């Protein structure tokens, strides 16, 4: 398969690296990009020459999340994202968040480990992608957040309380405020944070260490950890979250914002963030 939205290379023995490659638009997670990424990951999962994959973003940051131009809902909550999904999930109301959650579990259920390498910014749906990975390493000055909770919906994939704990997750959900990479490493969102200019080398070094373990052994190491999370109910919890996410689209506030965003997305972002002075209101 030829890729147009990602770049795939092999920077080290047994290591596959996927680069989200639409930097001019800040690597929005459109369905085409998602489909290419899943294809690369699934191909690696049955390739004996790959033992671990890395996902990173090209340009100034990791990703600003899902493609809102296509994802904004119209009548009956329909969107282009509902029609162009990279794999089948049950349709009807809530089809988009269900597809996103199942995408996370596709990664969760793969035999080989996946590492997220995050720099610059990691916003909204990009946080969901990174939290579906097995290991997460970030630059210390990364900007990580889910601002849509301010006037839209909670996350499609509610990983936050599972990995960060109730209090830290609640603070992010009730404010939409971002955290730095250093804070992400402190509260459990990420494994470790590094100075930005050291991140790539650190991730490659960790990938090499992970790749020292043969895949027939490593698949059970990964599943053993996931089994404990599943016994605590993570699959059920995340799937219930999709219904709440979609229901939230029908609040008056979310409906008004989506209408404004369809008319002028940049202005809608500015209105959302003006009182907080962050995200679209910062020069960085």
């Amino acid at each position: 398969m030829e890729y147009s939205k990602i770049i795939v290379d092999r920077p080290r023995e047994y290591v596959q690296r996927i680069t989200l490659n639409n930097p001019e638009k800040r690597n929005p997670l459109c369905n085409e990009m998602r489909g290419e990424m899943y294809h690369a990951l699934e191909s690696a999962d049955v390739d004996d020459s790959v033992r671990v994959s890395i996902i990173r973003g090209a340009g100034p940051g990791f990703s600003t999340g899902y493609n809102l131009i296509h994802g904004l809902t119209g009548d009956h909550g329909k969107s282009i994202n509902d029609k162009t999904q990279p794999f089948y999930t049950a349709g009807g109301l809530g089809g988009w968040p269900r597809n996103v959650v199942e995408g996370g579990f596709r990664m969760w259920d793969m035999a080989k480990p996946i590492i997220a390498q995050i720099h610059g910014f990691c916003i909204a749906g990009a946080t969901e992608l990174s939290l579906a990975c097995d290991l997460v390493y970030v630059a210390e000055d990364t900007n990580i957040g889910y601002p849509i909770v301010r006037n839209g919906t909670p996350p499609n994939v509610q990983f936050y309380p599972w990995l960060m704990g109730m209090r830290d997750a609640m603070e992010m959900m009730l404010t939409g405020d971002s955290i730095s990479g250093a804070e992400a490493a402190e509260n459990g969102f990420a494994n470790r944070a590094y100075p930005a200019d050291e991140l790539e080398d650190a991730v490659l070094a960790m990938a090499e260490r992970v790749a020292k373990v043969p895949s027939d052994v490593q698949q059970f190491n990964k599943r053993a950890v996931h089994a404990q999370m599943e016994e605590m109910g993570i699959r059920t919890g995340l799937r219930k979250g999709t219904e709440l996410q979609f229901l939230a689209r029908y609040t008056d506030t979310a409906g008004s914002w989506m209408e404004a965003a369809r008319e002028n997305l940049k202005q809608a972002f500015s209105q959302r963030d003006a009182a907080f002075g962050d995200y679209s209101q910062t020069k960085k």
Side-chain angles (χ1 to χ4, degrees), residues 14 38 125 128 133 178 205 211-212 222 229 261 264-265:
Y14 295 125
Y38 294 133
E128 299 174 7
C133 296
S178 65
K212 291 179 185 294
K222 176 174 173 175
M229 299 295 290
N264 189 322
L265 186 59

Side-chain angles (χ1 to χ4, degrees), residues 70-83 85 91-98 245-250 255 258 262:
H70 289 170
L72 293 170
T73 55
D75 295 339
H76 307 297
K78 298 293 185 182
S79 73
I80 296 175
N81 279 340
D82 289 322
K83 301 175 183 178
Q85 294 170 0
L93 296 177
W96 165 250
R98 279 197 295 275
Q245 191 277 343
F246 197 80
L247 183 62
R249 297 186 184 196
Y250 290 92
M258 289 175 188
R262 282 193 293 271

Side-chain angles (χ1 to χ4, degrees), residues 22-87:
N22 192 354
E24 295 80 9
K25 296 184 178 180
R26 300 193 175 188
N27 302 321
L29 299 172
C30 64
N31 280 331
E32 184 179 1
M33 179 181 284
R34 292 175 65 226
E36 291 183 4
M37 181 189 69
Y38 294 133
H39 181 274
L41 291 171
E42 291 166 1
S43 297
D45 223 42
V46 294
D47 184 343
D48 291 340
S49 70
V50 177
R51 291 183 177 180
V52 59
S53 291
I54 298 167
I55 301 175
R56 66 175 184 173
F62 183 65
S63 171
T64 51
Y66 302 121
N67 189 341
L68 286 181
I69 296 297
H70 289 170
L72 293 170
T73 55
D75 295 339
H76 307 297
K78 298 293 185 182
S79 73
I80 296 175
N81 279 340
D82 289 322
K83 301 175 183 178
T84 61
Q85 294 170 0
F87 53 85

Side-chain angles (χ1 to χ4, degrees), residues 7-281:
I7 297 172
V8 179
D9 70 333
R10 299 287 184 88
R12 298 285 190 277
E13 185 180 15
Y14 295 125
V15 178
Q16 170 181 263
R17 183 167 59 189
I18 298 168
T19 303
L20 310 178
N21 190 39
N22 192 354
E24 295 80 9
K25 296 184 178 180
R26 300 193 175 188
N27 302 321
L29 299 172
C30 64
N31 280 331
E32 184 179 1
M33 179 181 284
R34 292 175 65 226
E36 291 183 4
M37 181 189 69
Y38 294 133
H39 181 274
L41 291 171
E42 291 166 1
S43 297
D45 223 42
V46 294
D47 184 343
D48 291 340
S49 70
V50 177
R51 291 183 177 180
V52 59
S53 291
I54 298 167
I55 301 175
R56 66 175 184 173
F62 183 65
S63 171
T64 51
Y66 302 121
N67 189 341
L68 286 181
I69 296 297
H70 289 170
L72 293 170
T73 55
D75 295 339
H76 307 297
K78 298 293 185 182
S79 73
I80 296 175
N81 279 340
D82 289 322
K83 301 175 183 178
T84 61
Q85 294 170 0
F87 53 85
Y88 174 78
T89 50
L93 296 177
W96 165 250
R98 279 197 295 275
N99 187 263
V100 173
V101 167
E102 291 308 313
F105 281 129
R106 288 172 86 94
M107 296 166 64
W108 180 274
D109 290 333
M110 289 180 190
K112 297 174 183 177
I114 303 168
I115 300 173
Q117 175 184 321
I118 301 173
H119 76 291
F121 45 79
C122 179
I123 307 300
T127 68
E128 299 174 7
L129 170 60
S130 64
L131 292 173
C133 296
D134 301 296
L135 298 171
V136 178
Y137 299 98
V138 298
E140 292 173 344
D141 61 352
T142 301
N143 188 40
I144 300 166
Y146 211 101
I148 301 92
V149 299
R150 291 174 176 171
N151 57 359
T153 68
N156 302 279
V157 190
Q158 186 55 273
F159 269 114
Y160 289 85
W162 289 96
L163 300 183
M164 298 169 59
M166 178 178 172
R167 297 305 180 196
D168 285 332
M170 188 67 80
E171 186 172 280
M172 290 189 73
M173 293 300 99
L174 295 183
T175 65
D177 289 348
S178 65
I179 58 175
S180 69
E183 292 171 318
E186 291 173 1
N187 65 23
F189 182 102
N191 292 86
R192 293 186 182 89
Y194 297 94
D197 60 355
E198 298 177 14
L199 177 63
E200 182 170 322
D201 288 342
V203 170
L204 288 174
M206 179 54 68
E208 286 185 303
R209 291 187 66 80
V210 171
K212 291 179 185 294
V213 180
S215 293
D216 60 345
V217 174
Q218 199 72 292
Q219 63 179 318
F220 290 105
N221 295 333
K222 176 174 173 175
R223 289 169 182 163
V225 175
H226 285 170
Q228 309 313 307
M229 299 295 290
E230 290 175 14
E231 282 298 310
M232 292 187 283
I234 190 170
R235 284 187 187 265
T236 301
L238 293 188
R239 288 191 169 118
K240 284 184 177 179
T242 65
E243 310 304 324
L244 293 172
Q245 191 277 343
F246 197 80
L247 183 62
R249 297 186 184 196
Y250 290 92
T251 63
D252 291 340
T253 297
S256 295
W257 186 83
M258 289 175 188
E259 182 177 350
R262 282 193 293 271
E263 295 178 0
N264 189 322
L265 186 59
K266 184 176 181 179
Q267 182 176 322
F269 281 149
S270 295
Q271 292 173 345
R272 181 195 67 193
D273 302 329
F276 296 88
D278 53 11
Y279 297 108
S280 64
Q281 302 302 291

